[in-house]
Amino acid sequence: MEATADRYMRRALELGAQAEGRTRPNPAVGAVVVADNQIVGEGFHPAAGQPHAEVFALQAAAERAVNADLYVTLEPCSHQGRTGPCTEVIIAAGIRRVFVGTQDPNPQVAGSGIRRLQQAGIQVAVGLRDKECRRLIAPFAKHVTTGLPFVILKSAVTLDGQTATSTGDSQWISNSRSREEVHRLRDRVDAIMVGVGTVLHDDPKLTTRLPGGRDPLRIVVDSQLRTPPQATLLHLDSSAETLIAHISTASVERRDRLLENRATLLKTAESDGRVDLHDLLAQLGRRGVQSVLLEGGAQLNAAFLKADLIDRMMIFVAPKVIGGNGGFGIFAGEGFARLADAKQLQDIRFRQFGDDILIEGEVIRCLPA
């Protein structure tokens, strides 16, 4: 039974992942209805304002939902939002048992959905594939509990840990399959962020180049507004904005020129003459941004690392060696002086894309002082 239940929750996770990055301010959720050891209904939450995963799955199951089991990646809601509470739909459908992947971190729910189902006489089991279910809703969980977006650092390195040669040549360290996966990742996040150095050196587009893909909000951290008005990312046929974060000392002339070239400017607090990253993330969170893909460069990566603002790292390792000590790394500066202070990852995953290996993990955050 345990192995079978695991298989059904895996299917619910696959369904939920189909709408990843499309559901804010809600989480991505998948659900399946099982009767007589057979899936008779399945669904996922496609977007805010539309029915939740449980509703789609129960509608597909129809009368077969009576005395059936429901597998859902996240605790069903019990409050009235844009849609009605899913707990009441589940109860009315005649479901016998509910397997919940993980409890909802939203303070409006936080166990109340589970209690409502139990009060109605439905058996509830919580924690099936809990780690994967929490991973699916990580951006939502971070945002709903802290008001801040979930930050994912992505980089590609050689076997000797370099992101570019001594001349700055970096195209391409990773292979085409890895780069395609990066575009799938861009398609699933709310925003992509780089420093102004990356704009000046690479003139990137920061778009999602996939059929039917969605461009995320483009963010440039640029304290003094050095982004050229002719930069490619300001002149794209894209529905996404380009937002440039700066501080108050940036020149008015530069502000005006960038505004004339379709930039959206965001003034932040200052920290040591630079954009205060805590304030930047707080402002993005207030705009509803739940996830940010951090694509560097090394100065910005180092600043986020030092500020303990990275939640997940995704490092593509290519079977190449540059050699020497004149290349570039993921992070600028000297880094931590003691190995005891080094950042540690947990929940490590490995995937292979051709000859490249993706190493992915969650950053163990520092505890507040």
Side-chain angles (χ1 to χ4, degrees), residues 48-93:
Q50 295 194 38
H52 291 183
E54 304 94 314
V55 174
F56 280 116
L58 291 167
Q59 287 176 345
E63 70 278 357
R64 292 172 293 181
V66 177
N67 292 320
D69 295 336
L70 172 68
Y71 292 79
V72 60
T73 57
L74 183 67
E75 173 185 3
C77 64
S78 58
H79 63 284
Q80 179 71 45
R82 294 193 196 182
T83 60
C86 290
T87 50
E88 305 313 304
V89 179
I90 294 168
I91 293 166

Side-chain angles (χ1 to χ4, degrees), residues 9-192:
M9 188 60 79
R10 283 203 311 271
R11 177 55 184 160
L13 281 162
E14 290 172 357
L15 290 163
Q18 291 183 36
E20 200 172 356
R22 302 292 196 277
T23 61
R24 67 172 178 158
N26 298 337
V29 181
V32 298
V33 178
V34 176
D36 299 322
N37 296 317
Q38 183 179 10
I39 293 177
V40 296
E42 51 182 41
F44 61 89
H45 177 48
Q50 295 194 38
H52 291 183
E54 304 94 314
V55 174
F56 280 116
L58 291 167
Q59 287 176 345
E63 70 278 357
R64 292 172 293 181
V66 177
N67 292 320
D69 295 336
L70 172 68
Y71 292 79
V72 60
T73 57
L74 183 67
E75 173 185 3
C77 64
S78 58
H79 63 284
Q80 179 71 45
R82 294 193 196 182
T83 60
C86 290
T87 50
E88 305 313 304
V89 179
I90 294 168
I91 293 166
I95 287 290
R96 177 174 61 108
R97 293 186 300 185
V98 176
F99 294 83
V100 174
T102 193
Q103 184 172 306
D104 195 330
N106 186 348
Q108 285 188 289
V109 183
S112 62
I114 293 168
R115 290 191 295 272
R116 174 68 184 110
L117 295 175
Q118 291 172 330
Q119 290 166 359
I122 296 173
Q123 299 177 45
V124 182
V126 183
L128 184 59
R129 300 195 78 86
D130 174 76
K131 186 182 293 184
E132 293 91 332
C133 291
R134 283 189 285 112
R135 198 185 299 152
L136 178 64
I137 65 163
F140 165 78
K142 173 85 178 290
H143 189 261
V144 81
T145 56
T146 69
L148 302 176
F150 187 84
V151 178
I152 306 164
L153 180 142
K154 184 279 300 178
S155 189
V157 299
T158 59
L159 285 175
D160 52 342
Q162 303 198 54
T163 61
T165 69
S166 59
T167 63
D169 184 17
S170 62
Q171 295 186 351
W172 295 101
I173 284 178
S174 56
N175 63 33
S176 60
R177 290 177 60 181
S178 294
R179 297 197 297 275
E180 184 178 340
E181 177 62 18
V182 170
H183 285 286
R184 284 193 287 269
L185 178 59
R186 288 180 177 183
D187 182 57
R188 297 194 301 267
V189 297
D190 295 332
I192 180 170

